[in-house]
Amino acid sequence: MTCPPKRADLARTVINATAVDESNGWWTGLVRDRVHDTGEVRLRLERYPPNNSKNRPEHTWRVRPEYWDSERDAVEMFEQYGGETPTGVLPIDDFYTVKEHLPIRKEPTRRVSLVRLEKNWGQTVTRLYHWDPRDGATKQKWTIGRNWDHLSTLATRKLANAQ
């Protein structure tokens, strides 16, 4: 499997990347990068679309050591027991119908939830969403798909080895 571009944009340098899937031209994997402005090293789940002319991932999820265990555990719990009927406003495109959600974090500048969505033709997907409640802007989203078990195990191992 190939890696994502070594420089997804001018603001970072990719240190290493581990591909997990390249089905239908999409690249999905775990990426460790360094932010140029701050020197911070990050670990992220990234998904690149086919023929990616922007040279940027379509979907990302930052794997933060302080939040990762609760996010990973929430996915497992949501898959087993489901979530709640949605209340309030979630940053979801009108193309989807929100069926249920599981709030993970609620802070003044950050909301994180798992959301089960139904597409117009009835297919359901589960996504992690991170948004800013002040303006409703989605900061990150990640679809929990067939590669989740492999990606989450890999991310957990990388975090353990980094400490």
Side-chain angles (χ1 to χ4, degrees):
M1 291 187 183
T2 59
C3 292
K6 285 294 181 191
R7 295 185 65 146
D9 56 43
L10 296 176
R12 74 176 188 160
T13 298
V14 173
I15 299 167
N16 58 43
T18 304
V20 171
D21 188 37
E22 287 191 63
S23 299
N24 301 316
W26 285 80
W27 186 95
T28 303
L30 188 66
V31 176
R32 184 177 300 279
D33 65 8
R34 182 179 316 280
V35 179
H36 288 184
D37 290 347
T38 64
E40 178 184 19
V41 175
R42 304 179 299 184
L43 187 61
R44 296 170 12 136
L45 307 178
E46 296 188 358
R47 184 173 290 137
Y48 290 81
N51 306 316
N52 185 6
S53 61
K54 293 181 183 177
N55 216 15
R56 292 195 177 125
E58 179 89 9
H59 298 268
T60 62
W61 194 262
R62 176 106 181 260
V63 179
R64 295 174 181 258
E66 64 271 29
Y67 300 129
W68 180 245
D69 287 344
S70 64
E71 293 167 352
R72 186 195 60 220
D73 293 348
V75 170
E76 185 177 322
M77 186 169 44
F78 192 72
E79 288 177 344
Q80 288 182 6
Y81 305 109
E84 307 168 352
T85 301
T87 57
V89 178
L90 297 170
I92 312 296
D93 189 301
D94 290 340
F95 177 76
Y96 300 104
T97 301
V98 178
K99 299 309 247 178
E100 56 187 331
H101 81 113
L102 176 65
I104 299 172
R105 216 167 19 266
K106 186 176 181 179
E107 300 168 0
T109 60
R110 172 190 302 262
R111 298 283 193 278
V112 176
S113 285
L114 267 160
V115 182
R116 189 167 334 271
L117 306 167
E118 184 177 283
K119 297 179 179 180
N120 284 343
W121 55 87
Q123 180 187 16
T124 60
V125 297
T126 301
R127 282 195 179 148
L128 277 164
Y129 276 92
H130 162 204
W131 73 97
D132 186 331
R134 297 170 296 185
D135 61 6
T138 299
K139 301 299 183 184
Q140 301 179 95
K141 62 183 175 183
W142 188 262
T143 301
I144 307 300
R146 68 173 185 246
N147 297 308
W148 175 256
D149 288 339
H150 189 175
L151 278 168
S152 65
T153 299
L154 187 61
T156 301
R157 286 182 187 153
K158 291 270 188 181
L159 284 178
N161 291 335
Q163 296 178 11

